Amino acid sequence: MNVNVMNVDYSTKIPNNVNLAEDRQVLKALEGWHPGYIDWWNDMGPDGFQQSLVYLRTAYSVDPRGWAKFDYVKMPDYRWGILLAPQEENRTIPFGENYGQPAWQEVPGEHRATLRRLIVIQGDTEPASVEQQRHLGKTAPSLYDLRNLFQVNVEEGRHLWAMVYLLQKYFGRDGREEADELLRRRSGDADSPRMLGAFNEATPDWLSFFMFTYFTDRDGKMQLHSLAQSGFDPLSRTCRFMLTEEAHHMFVGETGITRVVQRTCDAMREAGIDDPNDVAKVRALGVIDLPTIQKKLNLHYSLSLDLFGSEVSTNAANAFNAGIKGRYRETQIEDDHRLQNDTYPVLKLVNGEIKRVDEPALTALNMRLRDDYTQDCAKGLLRWNKVISTSGYDYKLTLPNVAFHRAIGEFRDVHATPDGLLIDDATWAKRKGEWLPSTSDGDFIASLMTPVTEAGEFAPWISAPKVGIDNKPGDFEYVKIET
Ligand code: BYC
């Protein structure tokens, strides 16, 4: 059947545009999984606020011209649904050995294990981020930010549903088992951690949250773009719709950091501070100094780089060859989309030096995606640096070298400075506090994290946003905490 539904069916318990009402077996599997999901949300979702009314957007359509409506919702009543972008007529596989063949509507047997693994990894990150952020509601700097946190959280929950649907519909019994496992693993748990490194790290404060939504959600964007190219059409359509939601998450990160930088610069100017490196003086103003923002940036960027896997990877080559995972904007690239004879420059460690080495383009796909990611990340830095220079300060936030603070890939066994200078263990141990947030930096930031719950008011370490959500005025009550 050709499912091409713009509007979402809200008459069933699980809103969807995949005609679940007539897909009894999958409906039954999803209904069986639903209570476990709600238990997970109650145990591991936002701590508190579950009875508050939150001004949230909910997707009612998959039409890019208008797909969401805003209303007050209690989070446990949010309508998590299964939404796929409309099916493209006659879509073909846009890369790999099967280039030009009709896209698959069912899982090809020989690629089943690879596909399942990628879907499970993608699915695992979604609830992980909710777990990492669950305590942040208690220290939100405003109702506006509180609402954005919860919007991100409910949508990550929906993204979990999106992957669970694919597992349950297309992978039979092992898909159902994997769906259950997604609710069992826990971020940071010693025995049963989430699958990828960055999703087991703490998100201790709101600056980390903004960095996470800027840098780690942007890995999500890159990975979803690559999977949106997939020859497995249901995965492609699922990821395409997820990307629509994802944009807001990165907006939260980018504008969040902009507002922190803005407030710091304003406070320094008002106090007549000329040197942004005078950390003690700046902190005495109750704002986060730029060097500490740089350290947080170093941490989150390097953790997020690890999410791209090894620079040289046969897994990535196999997934591309098979037509399962493409490149960023694959269909817009002008080449043969097979890459059999191409090379790509990869940064490697050669005789103790960081060098560019040409590798077969197929095995270098993780590196290529990571390069695209770095370019995308750089845009935010331009904006933040503009705020700093417009305020009259000579200070630049920068992305650290890719060899800095890595746990995966070519540089995992060496230490490097943010400038990419290789250093020995002793120098690293002595100097890492200059580059990564120390315990005392964390304590200082934590000391600023007092909640602000008056509509239209903001904590003193962050400036107000330029515009409201859904064009609401500045004093709009985005969360009615007591109902
Ligand atoms: N941590 O060939 P390699 C998001 C493992 S974020 C731990 O180098 P490959 C979101 C790897 O599994 C996007 N293990 O890498 C953001 C393999 O193990 P096996 C999530 C790692 O496979 C914010 C071995 O090392 N989506 O959506 O080419 C909020 C060798 O692997 C790591 C995806 O990631 C690591 N960092 O690429 C909410 C897309 N890296 O199989 C959501 C799906 C590698 O030998 N995943 N390993 O036992 C993938 O495409 C790939 O699995 C990866 C790794 C890019 C992650």
Side-chain angles (χ1 to χ4, degrees):
M1 187 190 52
N2 185 355
V3 184
N4 190 355
V5 199
M6 280 290 189
N7 290 318
V8 182
D9 180 1
Y10 271 89
S11 67
T12 46
K13 194 163 164 198
I14 302 165
N16 70 92
N17 69 344
V18 292
N19 209 1
L20 268 187
E22 285 177 23
D23 200 348
R24 304 304 302 172
Q25 213 184 344
V26 177
L27 182 64
K28 216 173 117 216
L30 282 168
E31 283 179 351
W33 185 81
H34 195 168
Y37 172 81
I38 296 295
D39 286 349
W40 168 81
W41 180 268
N42 288 331
D43 292 347
M44 297 311 294
D47 186 1
F49 306 97
Q50 296 287 352
Q51 292 311 309
S52 304
L53 286 170
V54 187
Y55 192 68
L56 293 176
R57 71 176 183 191
T58 303
Y60 65 89
S61 156
V62 291
D63 183 345
R65 284 163 302 180
W67 57 274
K69 62 172 193 273
F70 288 82
D71 207 348
Y72 283 107
V73 183
K74 288 184 184 171
M75 282 186 281
D77 299 337
Y78 188 78
R79 301 298 308 273
W80 286 284
I82 315 287
L83 280 70
L84 272 63
Q87 187 169 345
E88 266 174 41
E89 287 290 325
N90 306 321
R91 179 168 176 263
T92 55
I93 301 171
F95 58 89
E97 283 165 349
N98 301 307
Y99 178 73
Q101 312 241 331
W104 305 300
Q105 300 307 325
E106 294 294 333
V107 177
E110 70 272 34
H111 303 317
R112 193 184 148 85
T114 313
L115 259 173
R116 193 185 66 200
R117 177 174 162 273
L118 293 182
I119 293 170
V120 167
I121 293 177
Q122 179 64 48
D124 192 67
T125 62
E126 314 290 359
S129 67
V130 177
E131 292 163 3
Q132 289 170 295
Q133 295 161 13
R134 69 183 304 260
H135 59 90
L136 289 173
K138 300 232 149 106
T139 54
S142 70
L143 292 181
Y144 166 90
D145 291 289
L146 187 62
R147 176 260 165 222
N148 284 349
L149 168 71
F150 294 155
Q151 183 72 61
V152 169
N153 292 162
V154 292
E155 284 173 354
E156 300 302 6
R158 204 200 69 69
H159 293 176
L160 170 61
W161 275 89
M163 292 301 127
V164 164
Y165 168 72
L166 294 176
L167 288 169
Q168 294 192 332
K169 176 154 174 76
Y170 296 99
F171 294 88
R173 179 212 275 251
D174 31 327
R176 289 194 292 279
E177 283 169 8
E178 293 284 14
D180 292 343
E181 288 296 298
L182 288 169
L183 292 178
R184 201 183 56 80
R185 287 187 288 274
R186 292 283 183 271
S187 175
D189 191 282
D191 301 324
S192 186
R194 292 294 174 183
M195 297 172 87
L196 301 179
F199 293 90
N200 289 305
E201 298 283 330
T203 310
D205 54 63
W206 276 79
L207 182 55
S208 284
F209 171 65
F210 295 134
M211 291 288 175
F212 185 96
T213 41
Y214 188 79
F215 288 107
T216 308
D217 278 77
R218 192 170 307 274
D219 167 54
K221 167 184 167 182
M222 305 311 287
Q223 301 292 348
L224 289 173
H225 263 285
S226 307
L227 295 173
Q229 301 289 342
S230 185
F232 179 47
D233 206 40
L235 175 61
S236 163
R237 293 171 54 206
T238 302
C239 291
R240 269 183 271 153
F241 188 69
M242 288 164 75
L243 279 164
T244 319
E245 292 164 318
E246 199 68 35
H248 176 65
H249 305 187
M250 284 171 294
F251 162 89
V252 169
E254 178 174 329
T255 54
I257 297 169
T258 306
R259 290 161 55 214
V260 177
V261 170
Q262 183 74 60
R263 183 67 201 108
T264 300
C265 290
D266 290 351
M268 289 195 299
R269 272 214 343 228
E270 284 156 23
I273 294 177
D274 294 329
D275 179 8
N277 288 304
D278 192 338
V279 170
K281 249 187 177 169
V282 178
R283 287 188 178 183
L285 305 173
V287 294
I288 307 174
D289 51 285
L290 299 179
T292 299
I293 295 174
Q294 176 70 60
K295 287 189 200 177
K296 283 274 201 189
L297 186 161
N298 290 346
L299 175 67
H300 287 270
Y301 177 66
S302 55
L303 287 172
S304 301
L305 288 180
D306 281 344
L307 295 171
F308 290 83
S310 307
E311 289 82 352
V312 175
S313 160
T314 48
N315 282 346
N318 291 340
F320 184 87
N321 262 337
I324 288 175
K325 185 179 173 191
R327 288 171 292 176
Y328 183 54
R329 304 202 160 134
E330 180 73 46
T331 47
Q332 291 164 38
I333 302 174
E334 287 190 16
D335 62 12
D336 71 354
H337 302 281
R338 292 173 194 266
L339 305 181
Q340 296 293 346
N341 303 310
D342 300 353
T343 59
Y344 188 85
V346 172
L347 284 179
K348 294 188 95 171
L349 206 56
V350 183
N351 299 331
E353 279 181 62
I354 303 171
K355 289 234 163 90
R356 250 172 222 286
V357 179
D358 277 346
E359 288 283 334
L362 273 174
T363 48
L365 284 164
N366 286 345
M367 174 81 193
R368 179 179 176 128
L369 190 64
R370 203 186 74 192
D371 283 345
D372 290 335
Y373 168 78
T374 297
Q375 273 184 27
D376 212 54
C377 285
K379 293 178 195 156
L381 277 93
L382 290 178
R383 297 218 175 94
W384 306 330
N385 285 330
K386 183 99 190 290
V387 172
I388 300 173
S389 61
T390 308
S391 305
Y393 288 102
D394 183 16
Y395 189 99
K396 249 195 164 116
L397 294 168
T398 53
L399 292 175
N401 188 281
V402 292
F404 172 77
H405 187 238
R406 299 298 306 283
I408 298 278
E410 196 63 25
F411 305 109
R412 67 174 187 269
D413 296 326
V414 294
H415 290 304
T417 67
D419 293 332
L421 193 72
L422 295 176
I423 50 174
D424 60 22
D425 290 1
T427 314
W428 170 258
K430 207 160 68 204
R431 297 196 59 191
K432 74 173 187 207
E434 294 171 34
W435 307 314
L436 291 169
S438 62
T439 311
S440 69
D441 294 329
D443 291 346
F444 169 69
I445 297 176
S447 75
L448 300 180
M449 298 291 126
T450 43
V452 173
T453 53
E454 273 309 298
E457 305 226 333
F458 291 83
W461 55 269
I462 188 166
S463 61
K466 288 216 164 65
V467 282
I469 295 293
D470 193 29
N471 288 319
K472 292 297 176 203
D475 60 354
F476 185 71
E477 193 177 8
Y478 287 100
V479 183
K480 296 186 182 185
I481 294 177
E482 308 281 348
T483 58

